Amino acid sequence: MAYNSNYGGNQSYGAQNYGQQNAYGGAQYTSYGAQGGADGGGFLGGSQGGSQGGGGGKAYGKDTLRPCTILQVLSASQPHPDADFSLDDVEITQITFVGQIRNISQQTTNMTYKLDDGTGSIEVKQWIDSDTPKYDEHGDPIRSGKPELKVGEWARCWGRLKAFNNRRHVGAHVIRPVQDKNEINYHLLEATFAHLYFTRGPPEQFSTAGGAENAVYGQQAQQQQNGYSNAGGEAQRSMPQLSSLARRIVQCLKTTPQNNEGLHMQQIAAATGMGVAEVMKGGDELLQQSLIFTTVDDNTWALLEM
């Protein structure tokens, strides 16, 4: 199932597959503004397919990209240390999430960021390429041109969930600052959508299987709201919720022969076997609902027909 979304026209926050698998080694990429790692921070096109094609390792050419929260990352299950992690009973390989940077630690081989999205916190490690020159011929530091990550700012990460010494972290392919705060809300909605997709099924099943039933229900609800329902092609007043006493009086007024003056409460009591007090109680309820009206006196009623 392909899911694409745009905020603000040209700026695309997400376009990814949940029900299908993305080929990092082929021509298909997921797009979160980083082109699935094709910008050099992740996998280069064809590199994974070539390096994994002949061995018995994991099929990285069939990786998926799953949007999630940090709490979901921390609660993902792993049957054994060599197995892939699973979320909502579905294996996850690549993940993406957003978080606020709480700490940045620079080490010899990697940069470690601690991200917190409000549901939890986790360390993100991005390895430093030791072959890349850090200084130019004049001894000045070489700027990479990538946006600078700062403590307190929000960032988006793409990478793999890993575990070492029973402690989880994310090996980042790409991590970049969030430029538009709408991306945070977008991601949380997308993570919710993916979770519901895998736990309850695609939304199409609800629109097709329950569409007709929902349409009928919606018409009935609207008719009840308006106080009318169509039965037999004629507009009739819909019956509200009534007590058993009131219903017995309505039935009596419908079936008992009478003139235009209706029936006196004594006649209704005799016809239904109800007590006079019960007839008065039920009659008051029907008068309040405007289903009957008084005629020659306050104790003689006729059924209001619409």
Side-chain angles (χ1 to χ4, degrees):
M1 174 184 173
Y3 180 70
N4 298 278
S5 178
N6 283 322
Y7 273 91
N10 295 329
Q11 184 175 5
S12 176
Y13 291 145
Q16 70 168 325
N17 270 321
Y18 297 133
Q20 300 176 354
Q21 292 179 324
N22 288 317
Y24 274 80
Q28 181 180 2
Y29 298 97
T30 56
S31 176
Y32 281 90
Q35 302 301 320
D39 62 347
F43 296 136
L44 297 177
S47 64
Q48 290 298 315
S51 62
Q52 299 292 337
K58 297 179 180 179
Y60 288 113
K62 296 183 178 180
D63 279 357
T64 59
L65 179 63
R66 174 69 183 269
C68 54
T69 65
I70 294 178
L71 178 61
Q72 289 179 302
V73 174
L74 297 175
S75 61
S77 60
Q78 186 182 32
H80 55 84
D82 294 330
D84 286 329
F85 288 93
S86 295
L87 184 60
D88 298 327
D89 296 325
V90 178
E91 286 189 356
I92 56 174
T93 50
Q94 310 278 350
I95 60 174
T96 180
F97 59 91
V98 296
Q100 190 175 26
I101 303 174
R102 298 298 189 185
N103 184 55
I104 300 176
S105 176
Q106 183 172 1
Q107 302 179 17
T108 304
T109 57
N110 65 79
M111 293 286 292
T112 301
Y113 306 90
K114 188 171 185 179
L115 298 187
D116 187 334
D117 67 350
T119 67
S121 60
I122 194 171
E123 287 188 346
V124 176
K125 297 181 182 293
Q126 187 174 38
W127 299 102
I128 299 174
D129 188 357
S130 59
D131 295 333
T132 302
K134 299 180 177 58
Y135 301 94
D136 58 18
E137 63 273 11
H138 303 292
D140 297 324
I142 297 176
R143 296 184 179 274
S144 62
K146 296 180 180 179
E148 184 180 359
L149 296 168
K150 299 178 181 179
V151 174
E153 297 294 331
W154 283 78
R156 178 184 280 276
C157 170
W158 293 262
R160 287 181 176 273
L161 178 58
K162 301 176 181 293
F164 182 72
N165 290 336
N166 295 323
R167 186 175 180 179
R168 296 184 180 184
H169 71 276
V170 174
H173 307 316
V174 177
I175 181 170
R176 63 158 176 80
V178 171
Q179 302 292 342
D180 188 340
K181 293 301 186 290
N182 286 325
E183 185 176 358
I184 301 171
N185 295 326
Y186 167 84
H187 172 78
L188 295 177
L189 290 172
E190 189 176 30
T192 302
F193 178 90
H195 169 70
L196 293 175
Y197 179 92
F198 287 114
T199 56
R200 299 187 183 182
E204 288 81 2
Q205 67 179 358
F206 300 104
S207 60
T208 55
E213 180 181 353
N214 291 336
V216 173
Y217 174 78
Q219 291 177 349
Q220 292 176 347
Q222 183 64 36
Q223 290 167 351
Q224 291 178 1
Q225 182 178 358
N226 294 336
Y228 296 92
S229 62
N230 291 329
E234 297 180 359
Q236 298 179 350
R237 185 71 177 272
S238 62
M239 187 67 68
Q241 294 294 329
L242 298 175
S243 66
S244 59
L245 297 178
R247 290 185 179 277
R248 291 172 67 182
I249 295 174
V250 170
Q251 186 64 25
C252 178
L253 291 171
K254 283 183 177 180
T255 58
T256 303
Q258 55 193 275
N259 56 26
N260 293 333
E261 295 179 355
L263 296 176
H264 192 272
M265 57 180 294
Q266 295 287 355
Q267 294 174 287
I268 297 174
T272 59
M274 300 165 58
V276 176
E278 293 177 323
V279 175
M280 292 183 64
K281 183 178 180 181
D284 288 341
E285 181 181 348
L286 294 171
L287 287 169
Q288 292 177 2
Q289 296 284 350
S290 299
L291 296 177
I292 63 174
F293 63 98
T294 59
T295 57
V296 294
D297 56 45
D298 291 341
N299 297 323
T300 303
W301 307 319
L303 189 65
L304 184 62
E305 296 181 357
M306 298 295 294

